Every structure is written in C-alpha cells, then in structure tokens.
Amino acid sequence: MPVISAPHAFNEGQLYVDLKPIFGRSLFLKCEGFNFAGSVKLKAAVEMVEAAEREGVIKPDSILVESSSGNLGVALSMIAASKGYRFLCVTDSRCNLSTRLLMEALGSRVHTIAELDANGGFLGARINYVRTLCDSDDRYVWLSQYTNPGNWKAHYYKTAPEIARHFPRLDVLFVGVGTTGTLMGCARYFRQWQRPVRIVAVDSAGSVIFGGEPGRRMIPGLGMSMRPPLLDESYVDEVIRVEERDTIRACHRLARRGFLFGGSTGTVVSGAMRWLADHHRRELTAVAIAPDLGERYLDTIYQSNWLQDIYGEDVLDSVDMPDGSWAAGPRAHAPREPPTAPPANRRRRR
C-alpha cells in the first residue's frame, strides 16, 4: 500500500488498455492520467521544478510562471501548492473551465489571453505576456516548457523505460505532439533500444509543428502555432495529422465502452488506428500514450451543444463505424516502410 506525503509522489505508470475489442486493431494505450494532476504533464512539471531548485533558480520570494493550455498548469499548481510556491498560469480562452477552476482551487492565479496572435493561435500572445512579466519583475521564474530540457528528460528517464519494460518487442509507438517533450524523450530513448522502434508523431490538423498552414483548433492539448524549439525531426519516422472531428469520434467511441479520455487521447488513438489500418498486413506490437482523462472535457467534447455549434449536428454520426474508417484524413508526411533490421548507424544518427 503506497503512503505519500506529497501529491507528486504518486504516479501510476503501469496501466494499459487493450483497444482491440473497441476498434478491432491491436493497440495498447498507456494511461498517464492516474495521478493527482490528472495527466502526463506531471512528469515534466516535477523534473522542471526540481531542476530549478537544484540550480538555485527558485528563491523564497519567487513566483513561478508558465504558459499552458491546461494540463501543465494543473500539474504546476499542484506542485506549487505542495511546496509552498506561488504560481501564475498564463492560458487562453480554449482552456476548459474546469481546468481553470482547478488551478484556482489549488491556489494559483490564472491569466487568460483572449486575442489571437499573428499565426492565428494564442501561443505567441501567451509567451509575449510571460516575457513582459519577467522583464518587469525579477521575482517571476519562467520554467519555459517549450525550451526546458527537463521536459523531454522526464520522458527519457520515466515514460519510455516504463513502456520498454512491459513491451520488450515493441514495434511502433504513437505519441501526440505539443511542446514535443514526450515525443523527444521517448524517441531518444528508443533510438538506443535493442531493436528498431518506429516513432509516429500524431499532430492536430491546423497545427504548424511540422510545417504547413495554421488552421482553427478548438481542442486544447496537442498542436502548436509555432515550431517547438525542442523538436528534432531526425528522431521521428512519420507524422500523422488528425482532424478534430475524428478526435471527437474517437473519444466518444471510447466513452461508449466506458473509457472517458481527453481530447489529446482521442487524437492519438484516431491517428494510430488510421496508421494500423494501413499496415494491417503485419502483426505489430503497438503502443500509444494517452496523456489525460476526460473529466475536464465534459463541457466541450462531451457536451452536445458545444459539439453541434462548432462541428455540426452530424459530427457523431459515424462513431460506430469499424476499423477507424471514420478517421481517413491526410497525413503530414508520406510514410517510410517500417525497418526490418536496425540500420548500422541507427544509434549514432542525430
């Protein structure tokens, strides 16, 4: 029986859901939402805060500040409350109401950006606000998840080894992308693994992480309106972009079988099922990372009026179609054939 005195001391890392009975294709979903912060962002938050503590960056009068669409803000709010720090989360109008209320309940301040930046997103405006704060008052400490190596190191040392321990014959890993911390940490780890593992990044349509034109994105969590500084595409084998309508359908299909997951998870599952449908001739061991659970999305992707206002009344019409045929949108990059043996320079390539 685990007994803890700090909320970030507990994080369930060994729970997987077999999605074959729901989607008809073998995919193991690694559930990262079973901790007191409710998402995979707890790992990065702990790593970044503890690194700042070790380096002496955080002083007694410091105010932690971070730009977040939601989940990292909650994780940092929880850690700040536990450690006695002050924290300000700079978010935007897409952040779920329940997420904002949760951060405030934990004692954090929340500033919401409502105006779009030049790329049609909120990220640039959020970052500019944080920079202005830091320039005006040296008490503010910006952890900067977009550039902080602790973001990817958390997954190199924790998430990826957890997967490798349970799936020593892993063939393909699907990772949703935002800051690309989870992607880069896992990809770097499996680049050095004993066998080739195909890394497939799953992005939201309208995101510009891997290039392309920006588009409207209403579901927070994945995607960005700029290229993430942490991204190194040499570690990525393939990219799949998922339309938000397909994200919603995947979430509702899971919910109809009793699994309530968040929008990021719906995106990753939709992209993974499309990829697996294209590679059905091979029996593959496939894992996808589910960043969070669905309670914080009850007033958005699980609320019928919100769905119909934004996506139309027919958005859920094809939820029950088999084999991911409802998720047939375009890829960002053409796929490369999965390797049958590790290249001679695989571990040295950067």
Side-chain angles (χ1 to χ4, degrees):
M1 178 182 70
V3 178
I4 62 173
S5 58
H8 52 278
F10 172 78
N11 192 359
E12 173 57 63
Q14 302 182 67
L15 179 63
Y16 295 81
V17 176
D18 181 359
L19 296 185
K20 190 169 185 178
I22 302 174
F23 290 92
R25 301 198 181 278
S26 181
L27 178 67
F28 296 98
L29 189 63
K30 187 180 194 302
C31 301
E32 289 283 349
F34 290 96
N35 55 58
F36 285 97
S39 81
V40 70
K41 289 292 188 178
L42 176 61
K43 291 175 175 174
V46 170
E47 182 69 27
M48 292 190 296
V49 170
E50 292 185 348
E53 290 174 331
R54 290 191 300 268
E55 296 164 6
V57 174
I58 302 176
K59 305 293 193 302
D61 64 343
S62 291
I63 305 169
L64 303 182
V65 61
E66 185 57 275
S67 159
S68 170
S69 62
N71 282 339
L72 182 68
V74 172
L76 289 171
S77 295
M78 187 193 77
I79 293 170
S82 174
K83 291 177 173 286
Y85 299 140
R86 288 178 290 174
F87 173 60
L88 168 63
C89 181
V90 179
T91 188
D92 60 64
S93 55
R94 293 179 308 171
C95 180
N96 298 322
L97 174 61
S98 58
T99 300
R100 296 199 297 270
L101 293 176
L102 181 53
M103 288 188 281
E104 291 172 348
L106 289 165
S108 297
R109 289 191 296 130
V110 180
H111 179 83
T112 303
I113 299 292
E115 296 182 0
L116 296 172
D117 58 30
N119 291 324
F122 294 99
L123 180 57
R126 287 184 353 214
I127 290 176
N128 287 339
Y129 185 86
V130 172
R131 285 176 173 155
T132 299
L133 278 180
C134 294
D135 290 342
S136 66
D137 190 334
D138 59 11
R139 292 178 302 168
Y140 284 102
V141 174
W142 183 19
L143 297 171
S144 186
Q145 62 168 323
Y146 311 105
T147 59
N148 195 320
N151 190 349
W152 68 261
K153 287 180 180 179
H155 304 288
Y156 181 91
Y157 290 113
K158 295 180 180 178
T159 308
E162 288 168 355
I163 295 170
R165 188 159 53 247
H166 289 282
F167 298 94
R169 303 294 296 174
L170 181 67
D171 292 304
V172 56
L173 177 65
F174 300 95
V175 187
V177 291
T179 65
T180 67
T182 308
L183 174 69
M184 288 292 96
C186 291
R188 283 186 168 95
Y189 181 90
F190 284 111
R191 175 63 57 80
Q192 303 167 359
W193 189 231
Q194 61 189 7
R195 66 193 308 267
V197 175
R198 191 166 183 80
I199 302 297
V200 179
V202 183
D203 197 6
S204 300
S207 165
V208 300
I209 290 176
F210 295 95
E213 293 296 320
R216 184 187 75 164
R217 292 179 293 115
M218 300 300 296
I219 301 174
L222 298 186
M224 285 182 68
S225 55
M226 71 177 195
R227 179 183 172 86
L230 294 177
L231 176 62
D232 182 343
E233 290 190 54
S234 70
Y235 287 95
V236 181
D237 294 303
E238 188 174 345
V239 178
I240 292 180
R241 285 194 174 114
V242 174
E243 298 286 343
E244 287 190 336
R245 292 171 66 91
D246 292 329
T247 291
I248 291 162
R249 290 164 182 162
C251 286
H252 280 260
R253 188 164 181 173
L254 286 161
R256 290 181 184 183
R257 298 297 293 270
F259 293 104
L260 196 71
F261 284 104
S264 299
T265 298
T267 301
V268 175
V269 169
S270 177
M273 287 300 164
R274 187 202 310 165
W275 190 95
L276 291 169
D278 289 344
H279 296 79
H280 65 278
R281 291 179 297 277
R282 291 188 58 196
E283 188 64 31
L284 298 169
T285 299
V287 171
I289 297 175
D292 59 4
L293 302 177
E295 289 91 342
R296 295 172 193 171
Y297 299 82
L298 292 177
D299 58 347
T300 54
I301 62 176
Y302 293 107
Q303 213 283 329
S304 58
N305 289 338
W306 187 87
L307 290 177
Q308 291 173 9
D309 287 346
I310 296 174
Y311 303 103
E313 295 185 359
D314 64 340
V315 65
L316 298 179
D317 286 355
S318 55
V319 166
D320 294 318
M321 291 178 66
D323 299 335
S325 54
W326 39 266
R331 291 184 184 81
H333 301 328
R336 297 193 291 257
E337 285 300 314
T340 57
N345 65 341
R346 182 175 179 86
R347 297 188 182 185
R348 297 191 297 272
R349 181 163 55 99
R350 289 293 184 269

